[in-house]
Amino acid sequence: MEKAIVDQVVDGKHAVLLVGGQEIEKVISTTRLPDGVTAGSVVKVEFHGDELVSIEADQKETTKTKERINSKMELLRERSKRRN
């Protein structure tokens, strides 16, 4: 299984996944997403060609990623405050 990030949900019906280190874009039905998975979530996926075979939420990796992003955003806010 490969790591993927749910990049966005389009029209409530499709989810855009960025799969693997090269962030290959794959589009799946939102009905295939595990419960609680939203844009920004990390999942583990297995594809055969363009067909999704398996998907599971990776809550631990999602939490780490969101914490890392929040830290970077806070640094940017602090830098912005210092410039003003």
Side-chain angles (χ1 to χ4, degrees), residues 2-5 40-44 56-69:
E2 288 186 273
K3 175 180 152 181
I5 304 219
S41 294
V42 179
V43 292
K44 292 181 182 174
E56 62 185 53
D58 188 340
Q59 189 58 47
K60 183 177 178 181
E61 195 63 33
T62 297
T63 299
K64 283 174 43 179
T65 299
K66 287 183 178 184
E67 287 173 353
R68 188 179 77 245
I69 290 169

Side-chain angles (χ1 to χ4, degrees), residues 35-53:
D35 289 341
V37 170
T38 60
S41 294
V42 179
V43 292
K44 292 181 182 174
V45 294
E46 183 178 349
F47 281 90
H48 284 132
D50 285 332
E51 182 181 345
L52 177 65
V53 176

